């Protein structure tokens, strides 16, 4: 990045200044964004960022303490290392201590840090101009945003590990409104490179859903057979993923805790062969293949920085298979290996039906387009509450027959997998509520008794 030291130079200076066991984690970001409303681009811009985090390890007679300090921009390395050293000197012994990772050296370490720009979105922006003209002629208002980022992560340890990975991340989100907002719908997708974005298909999907909403139907709260779109499933699975910290489960605090003690690893939760997994090499969902963290938690450890990450099946064939553990936690729990967090989620059950196929085989039920404002109610059961938004549709005799009022729902994602009676084909999608979790591939689900707990006035 212009005006900033190369990450390798920063790392060398940090380790030289530290003069003892240490790790440096550098995050270089480059982002471009376009927002539009009322069929007009409203804002656009580009920005760059850098954060440098230094971890210094204070080896004592009875253990190791970790000190951490982080700064943004063009950092004063001596001051940063001093702050980390001071933090280590006053820190308690680390319960997650493990030998620092060494011996792993990536290619391309000396290359310049790549940057994105609005030029990446050129083709999509051209399509947007045509899309908004057509919307204006049909009395439809389009809004939404496009974003693209390149996040380059560099991790260097005093034990000899040198890791680097650049993560491309992008999304396209479109909202179409008609009749003064009485009819509205959303479509979104993730795209790492903005290549071959199917804008015509997204536009067609929006108009199809607006057509579904020509008829308005009021329904009371209650339990309904419900088809969850892949996007809504991805939102729920994201919450499930972020709640699967092994030590918390062992302590009896989460939905993965076994009554009487221990975890639910090995328990069958569904008769359908659901596999929920994360894999840094998954095609189209590639993500950082090593640990990079600036703080320890119950499932992540600063001692594990630079460690290789491999595919982990959290649920396999309907059975809870693994939870997130750092190395020290895995050893304490008797697990075969560390299973750190991975920046994607994939849900499969062997289904081949598309969402349209599932609609065609529905006698009467609801179809959910997106979820909104999802919040935790009870961590012990992972009960979540939230709102439906931009499209709840009534399906009758295999056809969508109208738009239904919005609801507040109360559901647990693990219970949804337990009660699901059908899973469709797994496809790449974008969770709307949890849209920072861009890399997701999930299947539509049929839930026989989805709990619409109350009618919502939201529109």
């Amino acid at each position: 990045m212009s005006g900033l030291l190369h990450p390798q130079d920063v790392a060398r200076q940090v380790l030289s200044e530290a003069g003892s066991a240490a790790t440096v984690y550098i995050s270089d970001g480059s982002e471009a964004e376009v927002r539009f409303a009322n069929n007009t681009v409203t804002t656009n811009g580009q920005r760059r960022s850098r954060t440098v985090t230094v971890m210094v390890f204070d080896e004592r007679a009875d253990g190791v303490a970790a000190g951490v300090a982080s700064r943004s921009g063009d950092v004063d390395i001596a001051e940063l290392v001093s702050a980390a050293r001071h933090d280590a000197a006053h820190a308690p012994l680390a319960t997650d201590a493990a030998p620092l990772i060494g011996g792993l050296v990536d290619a391309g370490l000396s290359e310049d840090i790549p940057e994105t720009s609005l030029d990446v979105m050129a083709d999509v922006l051209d399509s947007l101009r045509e899309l908004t003209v057509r919307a204006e002629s049909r009395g439809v208002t389009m809004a939404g945003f496009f974003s693209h980022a390149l996040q380059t992560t560099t991790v260097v340890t005093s034990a000899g590990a040198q890791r680097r990975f650049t993560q491309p991340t992008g999304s396209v989100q479109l909202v179409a409104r008609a009749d003064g907002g009485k009819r509205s719908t959303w479509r979104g997708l993730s795209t790492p490179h903005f290549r071959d974005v199917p804008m015509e298909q997204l536009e067609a999907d929006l108009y199809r859903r607006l057509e579904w909403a020509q008829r308005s139907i009021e329904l009371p709260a209650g339990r309904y057979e419900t088809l969850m779109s892949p996007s809504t499933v991805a939102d729920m699975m994201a919450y499930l993923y972020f709640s699967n910290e092994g030590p918390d489960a062992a302590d009896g605090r989460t939905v993965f805790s076994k009554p009487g003690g221990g975890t639910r690893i090995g328990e069958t939760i569904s008769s359908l062969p659901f596999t929920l997994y994360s894999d840094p090499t998954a095609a189209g969902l590639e993500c950082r293949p090593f640990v990079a963290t600036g703080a320890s938690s119950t499932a992540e450890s600063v001692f594990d920085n630079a460690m290789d990450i491999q595919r982990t099946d959290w649920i396999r064939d309907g059975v809870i298979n693994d939870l997130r553990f750092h190395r020290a936690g895995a050893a304490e729990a008797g697990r075969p290996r560390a299973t750190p967090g991975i920046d994607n989620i994939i849900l499969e059950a062997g289904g081949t039906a598309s969402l349209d196929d599932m609609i065609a085989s529905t006698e009467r039920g609801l179809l959910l387009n997106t979820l909104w404002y999802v919040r935790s109610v009870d961590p012990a059961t992972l009960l979540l509450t939230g709102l439906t938004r931009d499209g709840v549709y009534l399906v009758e005799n295999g056809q969508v027959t109208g738009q239904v009022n919005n609801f507040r729902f109360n559901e647990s994602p693990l219970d949804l997998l337990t009660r699901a009676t059908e899973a469709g084909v797994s496809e790449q999608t974008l969770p709307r509520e949890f849209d920072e979790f861009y890399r997701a591939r999930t299947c539509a689900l049929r839930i026989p008794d989805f709990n619409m707990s109350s009618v919502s006035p939201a529109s």
Side-chain angles (χ1 to χ4, degrees):
M1 284 189 170
S2 177
L4 296 177
L5 280 176
H6 191 278
Q8 288 300 100
D9 295 327
V10 173
R12 279 191 289 269
Q13 292 186 31
V14 165
L15 296 183
S16 175
E17 184 73 26
S20 60
T23 295
V24 58
Y25 164 29
I26 305 166
S27 178
D28 287 304
S30 173
E31 300 173 66
E33 185 179 85
V34 172
R35 293 181 178 271
F36 53 98
N38 297 319
N39 295 330
T40 303
V41 172
T42 55
T43 60
N44 67 75
Q46 300 171 207
R47 56 185 175 272
R48 298 178 300 163
S49 62
R50 165 173 282 183
T51 301
V52 180
T53 302
V54 171
M55 290 142 271
V56 172
F57 304 98
D58 182 15
E59 297 185 11
R60 305 171 187 170
D62 52 350
V64 181
V68 180
S70 185
R71 303 286 188 270
S72 298
D74 188 9
V75 304
D76 182 329
I77 291 174
E79 184 276 330
L80 181 56
V81 172
S82 177
R85 188 180 290 118
H86 180 271
D87 189 47
H90 294 83
L93 293 178
T95 59
D96 58 331
L100 296 187
I101 300 295
L104 300 173
V105 179
D106 291 334
L109 291 164
S110 62
E111 294 177 2
D112 290 340
I113 300 300
E115 297 182 26
T116 189
S117 72
L118 294 172
D119 293 340
V120 172
M121 308 177 191
D123 291 343
V124 175
L125 292 174
D126 286 342
S127 297
L128 176 63
R129 295 183 187 96
E130 299 168 5
L131 181 149
T132 53
V133 168
R134 288 190 291 270
E136 195 77 35
S137 68
R138 299 176 66 162
V140 171
T141 300
M142 291 286 182
F145 63 93
F146 306 150
S147 65
H148 188 254
L150 293 176
Q151 198 75 29
T152 299
T153 300
T154 305
V155 173
V156 179
T157 74
S158 58
Q162 300 183 61
R163 312 303 306 268
R164 173 170 154 166
F165 183 79
T166 297
Q167 180 74 67
T169 300
S171 71
V172 171
Q173 299 201 48
L174 298 167
V175 176
R177 295 187 175 90
D179 299 337
K182 293 180 180 178
R183 291 185 291 149
S184 65
T185 192
W186 172 94
R187 288 288 284 129
L189 57 79
S190 61
T191 172
H193 303 293
F194 272 81
R195 300 171 190 153
D196 303 320
V197 175
M199 289 293 286
E200 291 184 2
Q201 183 60 56
L202 293 174
E203 181 183 14
D205 289 346
L206 290 171
Y207 284 119
R208 182 189 188 202
R209 285 162 171 73
L210 289 178
E211 286 296 318
W212 286 348
Q214 290 279 7
R215 177 188 176 211
S216 181
I217 304 154
E218 298 294 322
L219 288 180
R223 289 187 175 270
Y224 293 89
E225 177 169 313
T226 299
L227 300 180
M228 298 182 66
S229 70
S231 174
T232 63
V233 173
D235 267 322
M236 298 299 276
M237 290 306 106
Y239 278 87
L240 184 65
Y241 167 83
F242 282 112
S243 72
N244 74 346
E245 296 188 336
D248 286 348
D251 287 345
R253 293 185 285 173
T254 78
V255 71
F256 294 101
S257 301
K258 186 176 182 178
T263 74
R264 295 172 65 183
I265 291 176
E267 180 181 325
T268 299
I269 53 96
S270 177
S271 59
L272 294 179
F274 284 114
T275 294
L276 178 70
Y277 68 97
S278 300
D279 182 357
T281 67
L285 303 174
E286 294 88 351
C287 59
R288 175 172 39 79
F290 57 86
V291 173
T293 182
S296 289
S297 66
T298 56
E300 286 195 324
S301 171
V302 294
F303 292 89
D304 292 350
N305 271 307
M307 184 180 75
D308 274 334
I309 294 174
Q310 56 187 290
R311 169 174 167 159
T312 302
D313 291 359
W314 311 111
I315 297 172
R316 182 186 294 162
D317 295 330
V319 178
I320 297 174
N321 183 68
D322 226 329
L323 301 172
R324 285 187 290 142
F325 288 96
H326 49 57
R327 280 184 295 164
E332 182 178 354
R335 300 301 297 162
R337 66 178 177 90
T339 45
I342 305 171
D343 197 19
N344 62 29
I345 49 170
I346 301 159
L347 180 69
E348 301 173 344
T352 58
S354 67
L355 184 57
D356 281 348
D357 293 334
M358 294 172 71
I359 291 171
S361 61
T362 300
E363 183 176 342
R364 190 174 192 275
L366 301 180
L367 168 62
L368 296 187
N369 191 36
T370 68
L371 304 180
W372 189 253
Y373 210 70
V374 182
R375 297 293 183 268
S376 175
V377 176
D378 180 14
T381 61
L382 198 57
L383 180 65
L384 304 177
T385 189
L387 303 174
T388 64
R389 188 178 186 186
D390 291 325
V392 183
Y393 308 101
L394 181 63
V395 182
E396 297 176 296
N397 300 315
Q399 301 288 328
V400 178
T401 58
Q403 175 180 269
V404 174
N405 48 275
N406 281 303
F407 295 96
R408 174 170 292 280
F409 68 85
N410 287 293
E411 282 289 0
S412 164
L414 198 62
D415 282 348
L416 290 175
L417 296 183
T418 298
R419 295 175 4 241
T421 56
E422 183 183 6
V425 64
S426 188
E427 60 183 76
Q428 194 157 329
T429 189
L430 179 70
R432 188 181 187 187
E433 166 70 5
F434 225 122
D435 63 357
E436 64 267 34
F437 208 162
Y438 290 87
R439 285 162 284 281
R441 189 162 65 236
T442 59
C443 44
L445 297 181
R446 185 185 301 275
I447 309 298
D449 54 353
F450 194 94
N451 184 18
M452 301 297 186
S453 54
S454 62
V455 172
S456 169
S459 60

